[in-house]
Amino acid sequence: MRSRTRTAPRVAAVVAALLSLLVPLLSLATPAQAAATGLHISNGRLLEGNGNDFVMRGVNHAHTWYPNQTQSLADVKALGANTVRVVLADGHRWTANSASDVANVVSQCKANRLICVLEVHDTTGYGEDAAAGTLDQAAEYWIGLKSVLAGQENYVVINIGNEPWGNTSPEGWTDPTIAAIKKLRNAGFEHTIMVDAPNWGQDWQGVMRANAQSVYSADTTGNLIFSIHMYSVYDTAAEITDYLNAFVNAKLPILIGEFGGPADQWGDPDEDTMMAAAQQLRLGYLAWSWSGNTDPILDLAVNFDPSQLSSWGRRVFNGANGIAATSKEATVYSSGGGDTTPPTAPGTPTASAVTSSSVRLTWAAATDAVGVTGYDVVRVSGGNETAATSTAATSATVSGLAPSTSYTFAVYARDAAGNRSPRSGTVTVTTASGGSSAACGVGYRVTNEWSGGFQGEIVIRNTGSTAIDGWTLRWTFPDSQRITNLWGGTATQSGAEVSVASASYTATIPAAGSVTVGFTATRSTANPSPGAFTLNGSTCSLT
């Protein structure tokens, strides 16, 4: 976040630039890696020292401006967070946080069983904001703190500098970022390092996306993770999923290091898709921010009071795919004999409010010695399971279903330590017939090809006058293509015939609106495009 305030992107340029980001990232060539020390990166994932996959679920906390609010760390932990991103200053713009203060922050994080992401905020908007400091200055600050950070690699991630470039010549971001990474590695830092994107963190001109491979390769340890900040630039599902999947498909580690949900004068961020996509892709997210913003609409808690969550706070902590429902405590805190007992199984769900595209499920609560923090609803198909949604409540609506289709659902409970219950009993539901009639257009294109495979994109347009609520897209591949991974929906393929049911965050297509589905697939020598598509049984025009 921009020093407790937000800076508007140049909206017209934003839209044009986002639409122009068509070139996917190159395949990952992993640099030679040293032996893992604490939190580290492997195969594009953030892992703990013991190899356990770790997905950050937490918030940002403005410590440098509110140094006496250390109780906030305990408060966000009590609400289910497993990570906190702590705002610090290196002395260029704000009074530097001393080594003793930073040591105390780390100690408080550990006492509250939180992973601690430490960031220097003075770099915010460099190149556009004359008051901003450089990444080199931030690196020097971290080197000055080495004595209190060495040995904390299991608990601390170093975020070199917050949003270290504005909207002016953001291509200048790449070289200083590489130089700062090398400076820290040459100084002996073994921590996982996090780097923020330019364009005030939102990368709407695609500089981080285009140069991520070269930046990653510059870190000889391979322990580097990219951070994208998502605010009003990311107001559609397609923009969010396209950006995140570009990194995931290239096996380049990424998380949403900041994001906002409330609408502002620049737009309305699509926080539901951000959280749903992060959960689907098993990526971290850290909401901005706990309290104390000059724009109070972004406060998760009012006046630092955890009993007074704002609507934004309730959404982040207790909503679908929120912190309470999806956070798992780092295992480094349970290795000494912590909570290892899972909750009991939830009750078998019952179905109600069944429509052509959604169903509401309700179940009896699970029990746990410490406390249940969330429930995961899954689709069951034979021996396979697919995540449907997560919630902190004992009911949830699953949307994005196909009409006249049978689905089987079950529920798991989870506690704060990440222990998962046995699966509940299952319930089978058949959706109503029909679904939204579809006046539609489909644009299909191959975005990248390689020997034996390719990446594709399908834009589904609603050309009618009413919204489409829930959809199933079908087509037949003309050759031997087979889907290997798809985002924006759930794919099934039988021979050449493909069926894609909408995801919860792509289910509704407003009149004159569109959603985007992306996928990777295998192919033979030829790769001809499908010649016809149907949406909810209606033939779509090709665009």
Side-chain angles (χ1 to χ4, degrees):
M1 201 57 191
R2 268 65 70 197
S3 62
R4 295 180 285 166
T5 62
R6 296 179 60 193
T7 300
R10 299 182 177 118
V11 177
V14 168
V15 174
L18 283 169
L19 292 174
S20 70
L21 295 179
L22 303 178
V23 180
L25 294 164
L26 298 173
S27 297
L28 176 64
T30 305
Q33 295 184 7
T37 301
L39 289 160
H40 63 282
I41 302 298
S42 178
N43 199 32
R45 304 290 305 168
L46 177 64
L47 306 181
E48 294 188 68
N50 62 5
N52 182 69
D53 197 77
F54 183 68
V55 179
M56 292 185 182
R57 289 285 184 268
V59 304
N60 287 263
H61 171 54
H63 172 74
T64 199
W65 302 310
Y66 302 100
N68 296 323
Q69 294 291 346
T70 53
Q71 174 62 31
S72 297
L73 301 178
D75 292 338
V76 299
K77 174 63 178 182
L79 288 164
N82 64 19
T83 304
V84 63
R85 181 172 179 257
V86 180
V87 177
L88 301 177
D90 66 9
H92 179 84
R93 185 168 185 176
W94 295 283
T95 301
N97 294 91
S98 66
S100 60
D101 180 47
V102 174
N104 181 57
V105 167
V106 173
S107 176
Q108 291 292 322
C109 283
K110 293 167 69 175
N112 288 290
R113 304 164 72 91
L114 291 162
I115 295 301
C116 202
V117 178
L118 303 176
E119 62 101 342
V120 164
H121 216 75
D122 304 65
T123 58
T124 305
Y126 180 82
E128 185 172 349
D129 189 333
T134 67
L135 283 170
D136 185 70
Q137 290 166 330
E140 287 291 341
Y141 174 72
W142 293 120
I143 291 170
L145 294 176
K146 186 179 178 184
S147 63
V148 300
L149 297 178
Q152 303 300 326
E153 292 86 357
N154 279 304
Y155 311 97
V156 172
V157 173
I158 297 175
N159 189 176
I160 302 178
N162 182 69
E163 301 178 0
W165 213 278
N167 293 327
T168 302
S169 303
E171 64 276 4
W173 167 90
T174 304
D175 288 343
T177 299
I178 289 174
I181 293 165
K182 290 182 174 180
K183 191 165 196 170
L184 291 182
R185 294 304 184 208
N186 290 337
F189 281 85
E190 298 180 336
H191 305 69
T192 291
I193 291 175
M194 184 181 295
V195 294
D196 284 8
N199 295 127
W200 302 91
Q202 297 195 81
D203 200 30
W204 57 266
Q205 290 176 292
V207 171
M208 185 171 83
R209 177 171 169 170
N211 293 281
Q213 180 61 70
S214 62
V215 173
Y216 183 82
S217 298
D219 184 352
T220 55
T221 73
N223 295 326
L224 184 77
I225 187 168
F226 295 93
S227 175
I228 182 67
H229 293 184
M230 290 187 165
Y231 293 101
S232 52
V233 165
Y234 295 92
D235 57 359
T236 69
E239 291 162 345
I240 295 161
T241 57
D242 176 66
Y243 195 92
L244 296 177
N245 275 289
F247 281 77
V248 170
N249 292 335
K251 296 189 182 302
L252 287 166
I254 191 169
L255 85 158
I256 306 174
E258 286 186 20
F259 70 103
D264 57 28
Q265 65 266 42
W266 303 303
D268 187 2
D270 184 359
E271 70 275 15
D272 290 341
T273 295
M274 296 174 199
M275 297 168 73
Q279 178 66 4
Q280 180 188 31
L281 297 170
R282 298 185 301 124
L283 302 179
Y285 66 65
L286 304 172
W288 186 276
S289 80
W290 177 240
S291 199
N293 286 281
T294 52
D295 182 358
I297 197 171
L298 285 168
D299 283 357
L300 296 159
V302 179
N303 296 322
F304 295 92
D305 184 350
S307 68
Q308 296 188 62
L309 292 182
S310 65
S311 58
W312 172 224
R314 292 191 297 272
R315 173 67 189 93
V316 166
F317 284 104
N318 300 320
N321 301 303
I323 288 173
T326 65
S327 175
K328 296 181 181 180
E329 185 178 87
T331 59
V332 69
Y333 292 119
S334 58
S335 60
D339 179 16
T340 59
T341 304
T344 62
T348 300
T350 59
S352 61
V354 180
T355 71
S356 62
S357 62
S358 66
V359 60
R360 184 157 185 82
L361 302 174
T362 304
W363 55 89
T367 60
D368 184 74
V370 177
V372 173
T373 58
Y375 296 91
D376 299 326
V377 180
V378 296
R379 295 181 192 170
V380 181
S381 178
N384 297 321
E385 294 181 355
T386 303
T389 190
S390 298
T391 179
T394 54
S395 62
T397 296
V398 180
S399 58
L401 307 179
S404 301
T405 302
S406 177
Y407 294 93
T408 300
F409 296 98
V411 184
Y412 291 92
R414 195 182 332 102
D415 65 18
N419 299 308
R420 204 181 198 197
S421 75
R423 196 175 78 184
S424 73
T426 60
V427 60
T428 299
V429 180
T430 300
T431 51
S433 60
S436 304
S437 60
C440 54
V442 169
Y444 176 96
R445 69 187 184 93
V446 173
T447 60
N448 191 24
E449 285 186 295
W450 55 91
S451 178
F454 71 102
Q455 181 173 331
E457 178 184 87
I458 301 172
V459 178
I460 307 168
R461 295 182 174 85
N462 180 357
T463 58
S465 58
T466 59
I468 296 172
D469 182 18
W471 50 264
T472 299
L473 181 71
R474 292 184 171 90
W475 73 89
T476 299
F477 276 126
D479 198 14
S480 57
Q481 301 102 320
R482 291 199 64 85
I483 300 289
T484 56
N485 184 37
L486 182 138
W487 50 96
T490 301
T492 56
Q493 183 169 353
S494 177
E497 297 180 355
V498 181
S499 175
V500 177
S502 55
S504 59
Y505 54 91
T506 60
T508 300
I509 311 177
S514 67
V515 296
T516 300
V517 173
F519 65 90
T520 55
T522 59
R523 65 181 179 93
S524 61
T525 303
N527 190 22
S529 298
F533 295 85
T534 64
L535 193 72
N536 290 349
S538 300
T539 301
C540 301
S541 61
L542 299 180
T543 60

mmCIF file of all heavy atoms in Angstrom, residues 342-346 363 365-368 372-376 411-415 418-424:
data_model
loop_
_atom_site.group_PDB
_atom_site.id
_atom_site.type_symbol
_atom_site.label_atom_id
_atom_site.label_comp_id
_atom_site.label_asym_id
_atom_site.label_seq_id
_atom_site.Cartn_x
_atom_site.Cartn_y
_atom_site.Cartn_z
ATOM 1 N N PRO A 342 -6.881 -34.009 14.796
ATOM 2 C CA PRO A 342 -7.827 -33.389 13.854
ATOM 3 C C PRO A 342 -9.212 -33.251 14.461
ATOM 4 O O PRO A 342 -9.560 -33.933 15.442
ATOM 5 C CB PRO A 342 -7.838 -34.383 12.685
ATOM 6 C CG PRO A 342 -7.533 -35.701 13.320
ATOM 7 C CD PRO A 342 -6.555 -35.400 14.421
ATOM 8 N N PRO A 343 -10.030 -32.377 13.900
ATOM 9 C CA PRO A 343 -11.430 -32.289 14.341
ATOM 10 C C PRO A 343 -12.181 -33.569 13.989
ATOM 11 O O PRO A 343 -11.726 -34.398 13.196
ATOM 12 C CB PRO A 343 -11.970 -31.094 13.533
ATOM 13 C CG PRO A 343 -10.770 -30.370 13.017
ATOM 14 C CD PRO A 343 -9.701 -31.399 12.852
ATOM 15 N N THR A 344 -13.356 -33.721 14.568
ATOM 16 C CA THR A 344 -14.243 -34.810 14.166
ATOM 17 C C THR A 344 -14.825 -34.491 12.798
ATOM 18 O O THR A 344 -14.776 -33.347 12.331
ATOM 19 C CB THR A 344 -15.392 -34.978 15.163
ATOM 20 O OG1 THR A 344 -16.168 -33.758 15.184
ATOM 21 C CG2 THR A 344 -14.861 -35.269 16.568
ATOM 22 N N ALA A 345 -15.375 -35.489 12.143
ATOM 23 C CA ALA A 345 -15.977 -35.270 10.825
ATOM 24 C C ALA A 345 -17.243 -34.415 10.958
ATOM 25 O O ALA A 345 -18.015 -34.595 11.910
ATOM 26 C CB ALA A 345 -16.332 -36.599 10.174
ATOM 27 N N PRO A 346 -17.451 -33.479 10.048
ATOM 28 C CA PRO A 346 -18.721 -32.741 10.050
ATOM 29 C C PRO A 346 -19.880 -33.690 9.743
ATOM 30 O O PRO A 346 -19.682 -34.813 9.252
ATOM 31 C CB PRO A 346 -18.537 -31.711 8.918
ATOM 32 C CG PRO A 346 -17.080 -31.730 8.596
ATOM 33 C CD PRO A 346 -16.581 -33.092 8.940
ATOM 34 N N TRP A 363 -24.564 -28.444 7.026
ATOM 35 C CA TRP A 363 -24.094 -29.625 7.747
ATOM 36 C C TRP A 363 -23.943 -29.313 9.231
ATOM 37 O O TRP A 363 -23.858 -28.149 9.640
ATOM 38 C CB TRP A 363 -22.747 -30.104 7.191
ATOM 39 C CG TRP A 363 -21.678 -29.042 7.180
ATOM 40 C CD1 TRP A 363 -20.798 -28.735 8.158
ATOM 41 C CD2 TRP A 363 -21.438 -28.095 6.114
ATOM 42 N NE1 TRP A 363 -20.010 -27.680 7.781
ATOM 43 C CE2 TRP A 363 -20.362 -27.276 6.534
ATOM 44 C CE3 TRP A 363 -21.999 -27.886 4.849
ATOM 45 C CZ2 TRP A 363 -19.862 -26.254 5.743
ATOM 46 C CZ3 TRP A 363 -21.502 -26.871 4.059
ATOM 47 C CH2 TRP A 363 -20.441 -26.067 4.493
ATOM 48 N N ALA A 365 -21.968 -29.070 12.723
ATOM 49 C CA ALA A 365 -20.599 -28.645 13.016
ATOM 50 C C ALA A 365 -19.741 -29.804 13.495
ATOM 51 O O ALA A 365 -20.223 -30.739 14.152
ATOM 52 C CB ALA A 365 -20.624 -27.550 14.076
ATOM 53 N N ALA A 366 -18.463 -29.751 13.159
ATOM 54 C CA ALA A 366 -17.472 -30.657 13.720
ATOM 55 C C ALA A 366 -17.042 -30.140 15.087
ATOM 56 O O ALA A 366 -17.307 -28.988 15.454
ATOM 57 C CB ALA A 366 -16.274 -30.758 12.791
ATOM 58 N N THR A 367 -16.367 -30.959 15.852
ATOM 59 C CA THR A 367 -15.831 -30.538 17.142
ATOM 60 C C THR A 367 -14.317 -30.733 17.143
ATOM 61 O O THR A 367 -13.773 -31.570 16.419
ATOM 62 C CB THR A 367 -16.447 -31.345 18.300
ATOM 63 O OG1 THR A 367 -16.171 -32.734 18.123
ATOM 64 C CG2 THR A 367 -17.954 -31.132 18.354
ATOM 65 N N ASP A 368 -13.650 -29.943 17.983
ATOM 66 C CA ASP A 368 -12.194 -30.009 18.072
ATOM 67 C C ASP A 368 -11.774 -29.527 19.446
ATOM 68 O O ASP A 368 -12.410 -28.619 20.021
ATOM 69 C CB ASP A 368 -11.557 -29.127 16.991
ATOM 70 C CG ASP A 368 -10.045 -29.230 16.961
ATOM 71 O OD1 ASP A 368 -9.540 -30.255 16.493
ATOM 72 O OD2 ASP A 368 -9.390 -28.274 17.413
ATOM 73 N N VAL A 372 -12.573 -25.504 15.738
ATOM 74 C CA VAL A 372 -12.658 -25.604 14.286
ATOM 75 C C VAL A 372 -12.575 -24.204 13.696
ATOM 76 O O VAL A 372 -13.253 -23.277 14.167
ATOM 77 C CB VAL A 372 -13.974 -26.285 13.858
ATOM 78 C CG1 VAL A 372 -14.136 -26.245 12.347
ATOM 79 C CG2 VAL A 372 -14.012 -27.726 14.360
ATOM 80 N N THR A 373 -11.729 -24.030 12.676
ATOM 81 C CA THR A 373 -11.593 -22.714 12.049
ATOM 82 C C THR A 373 -12.247 -22.629 10.678
ATOM 83 O O THR A 373 -12.512 -21.533 10.195
ATOM 84 C CB THR A 373 -10.114 -22.329 11.892
ATOM 85 O OG1 THR A 373 -9.445 -23.325 11.116
ATOM 86 C CG2 THR A 373 -9.437 -22.217 13.247
ATOM 87 N N GLY A 374 -12.488 -23.764 10.027
ATOM 88 C CA GLY A 374 -13.072 -23.685 8.694
ATOM 89 C C GLY A 374 -13.486 -25.029 8.160
ATOM 90 O O GLY A 374 -13.173 -26.085 8.732
ATOM 91 N N TYR A 375 -14.208 -24.970 7.035
ATOM 92 C CA TYR A 375 -14.706 -26.175 6.365
ATOM 93 C C TYR A 375 -14.383 -26.091 4.881
ATOM 94 O O TYR A 375 -14.499 -25.025 4.266
ATOM 95 C CB TYR A 375 -16.217 -26.302 6.542
ATOM 96 C CG TYR A 375 -16.657 -26.498 7.982
ATOM 97 C CD1 TYR A 375 -16.972 -25.396 8.790
ATOM 98 C CD2 TYR A 375 -16.745 -27.767 8.529
ATOM 99 C CE1 TYR A 375 -17.369 -25.565 10.112
ATOM 100 C CE2 TYR A 375 -17.143 -27.953 9.852
ATOM 101 C CZ TYR A 375 -17.452 -26.845 10.638
ATOM 102 O OH TYR A 375 -17.845 -27.026 11.950
ATOM 103 N N ASP A 376 -13.978 -27.212 4.310
ATOM 104 C CA ASP A 376 -13.722 -27.329 2.879
ATOM 105 C C ASP A 376 -14.797 -28.205 2.252
ATOM 106 O O ASP A 376 -14.960 -29.365 2.654
ATOM 107 C CB ASP A 376 -12.353 -27.959 2.619
ATOM 108 C CG ASP A 376 -11.211 -27.139 3.184
ATOM 109 O OD1 ASP A 376 -11.326 -25.904 3.190
ATOM 110 O OD2 ASP A 376 -10.209 -27.743 3.623
ATOM 111 N N VAL A 411 -17.791 -32.748 2.955
ATOM 112 C CA VAL A 411 -17.204 -31.630 3.696
ATOM 113 C C VAL A 411 -16.100 -32.147 4.619
ATOM 114 O O VAL A 411 -16.220 -33.227 5.214
ATOM 115 C CB VAL A 411 -18.275 -30.897 4.539
ATOM 116 C CG1 VAL A 411 -17.668 -29.678 5.237
ATOM 117 C CG2 VAL A 411 -19.454 -30.483 3.676
ATOM 118 N N TYR A 412 -15.019 -31.369 4.721
ATOM 119 C CA TYR A 412 -13.969 -31.584 5.714
ATOM 120 C C TYR A 412 -13.957 -30.395 6.675
ATOM 121 O O TYR A 412 -14.254 -29.256 6.283
ATOM 122 C CB TYR A 412 -12.591 -31.648 5.063
ATOM 123 C CG TYR A 412 -12.320 -32.854 4.204
ATOM 124 C CD1 TYR A 412 -12.570 -32.830 2.833
ATOM 125 C CD2 TYR A 412 -11.779 -34.012 4.755
ATOM 126 C CE1 TYR A 412 -12.296 -33.925 2.026
ATOM 127 C CE2 TYR A 412 -11.501 -35.120 3.964
ATOM 128 C CZ TYR A 412 -11.763 -35.073 2.604
ATOM 129 O OH TYR A 412 -11.495 -36.164 1.813
ATOM 130 N N ALA A 413 -13.562 -30.634 7.926
ATOM 131 C CA ALA A 413 -13.320 -29.560 8.894
ATOM 132 C C ALA A 413 -11.821 -29.406 9.099
ATOM 133 O O ALA A 413 -11.052 -30.352 8.888
ATOM 134 C CB ALA A 413 -14.002 -29.875 10.221
ATOM 135 N N ARG A 414 -11.403 -28.192 9.501
ATOM 136 C CA ARG A 414 -9.991 -27.926 9.735
ATOM 137 C C ARG A 414 -9.830 -27.063 10.973
ATOM 138 O O ARG A 414 -10.663 -26.192 11.249
ATOM 139 C CB ARG A 414 -9.401 -27.202 8.528
ATOM 140 C CG ARG A 414 -7.910 -27.201 8.501
ATOM 141 C CD ARG A 414 -7.282 -26.462 7.340
ATOM 142 N NE ARG A 414 -8.070 -26.418 6.144
ATOM 143 C CZ ARG A 414 -8.769 -25.354 5.778
ATOM 144 N NH1 ARG A 414 -8.769 -24.282 6.541
ATOM 145 N NH2 ARG A 414 -9.453 -25.369 4.661
ATOM 146 N N ASP A 415 -8.758 -27.312 11.740
ATOM 147 C CA ASP A 415 -8.496 -26.479 12.909
ATOM 148 C C ASP A 415 -7.345 -25.517 12.640
ATOM 149 O O ASP A 415 -6.770 -25.512 11.547
ATOM 150 C CB ASP A 415 -8.246 -27.331 14.162
ATOM 151 C CG ASP A 415 -6.988 -28.189 14.080
ATOM 152 O OD1 ASP A 415 -6.107 -27.907 13.227
ATOM 153 O OD2 ASP A 415 -6.877 -29.149 14.854
ATOM 154 N N GLY A 418 -4.082 -26.604 11.202
ATOM 155 C CA GLY A 418 -4.101 -27.185 9.866
ATOM 156 C C GLY A 418 -4.481 -28.653 9.844
ATOM 157 O O GLY A 418 -4.455 -29.285 8.782
ATOM 158 N N ASN A 419 -4.854 -29.218 11.007
ATOM 159 C CA ASN A 419 -5.297 -30.611 11.033
ATOM 160 C C ASN A 419 -6.649 -30.729 10.337
ATOM 161 O O ASN A 419 -7.554 -29.931 10.587
ATOM 162 C CB ASN A 419 -5.432 -31.104 12.469
ATOM 163 C CG ASN A 419 -4.113 -31.051 13.224
ATOM 164 O OD1 ASN A 419 -3.117 -31.571 12.757
ATOM 165 N ND2 ASN A 419 -4.118 -30.403 14.378
ATOM 166 N N ARG A 420 -6.768 -31.719 9.459
ATOM 167 C CA ARG A 420 -7.994 -31.899 8.686
ATOM 168 C C ARG A 420 -8.755 -33.118 9.192
ATOM 169 O O ARG A 420 -8.166 -34.170 9.470
ATOM 170 C CB ARG A 420 -7.657 -32.082 7.207
ATOM 171 C CG ARG A 420 -8.790 -31.702 6.269
ATOM 172 C CD ARG A 420 -8.402 -31.933 4.828
ATOM 173 N NE ARG A 420 -9.266 -31.214 3.911
ATOM 174 C CZ ARG A 420 -9.370 -31.488 2.617
ATOM 175 N NH1 ARG A 420 -8.679 -32.480 2.093
ATOM 176 N NH2 ARG A 420 -10.171 -30.781 1.843
ATOM 177 N N SER A 421 -10.058 -32.986 9.295
ATOM 178 C CA SER A 421 -10.912 -34.054 9.816
ATOM 179 C C SER A 421 -11.081 -35.175 8.801
ATOM 180 O O SER A 421 -10.751 -35.013 7.618
ATOM 181 C CB SER A 421 -12.292 -33.483 10.148
ATOM 182 O OG SER A 421 -13.030 -33.257 8.947
ATOM 183 N N PRO A 422 -11.633 -36.311 9.238
ATOM 184 C CA PRO A 422 -12.134 -37.273 8.249
ATOM 185 C C PRO A 422 -13.237 -36.620 7.413
ATOM 186 O O PRO A 422 -13.856 -35.637 7.835
ATOM 187 C CB PRO A 422 -12.695 -38.408 9.115
ATOM 188 C CG PRO A 422 -12.053 -38.235 10.462
ATOM 189 C CD PRO A 422 -11.819 -36.763 10.613
ATOM 190 N N ARG A 423 -13.467 -37.174 6.246
ATOM 191 C CA ARG A 423 -14.493 -36.615 5.365
ATOM 192 C C ARG A 423 -15.882 -36.940 5.891
ATOM 193 O O ARG A 423 -16.111 -38.013 6.459
ATOM 194 C CB ARG A 423 -14.317 -37.184 3.956
ATOM 195 C CG ARG A 423 -15.052 -36.404 2.888
ATOM 196 C CD ARG A 423 -14.726 -36.950 1.504
ATOM 197 N NE ARG A 423 -15.445 -38.173 1.199
ATOM 198 C CZ ARG A 423 -15.275 -38.886 0.088
ATOM 199 N NH1 ARG A 423 -14.366 -38.494 -0.806
ATOM 200 N NH2 ARG A 423 -15.965 -39.981 -0.122
ATOM 201 N N SER A 424 -16.799 -36.011 5.701
ATOM 202 C CA SER A 424 -18.196 -36.257 6.074
ATOM 203 C C SER A 424 -18.812 -37.281 5.133
ATOM 204 O O SER A 424 -18.206 -37.692 4.133
ATOM 205 C CB SER A 424 -18.995 -34.957 5.981
ATOM 206 O OG SER A 424 -19.211 -34.612 4.611
#
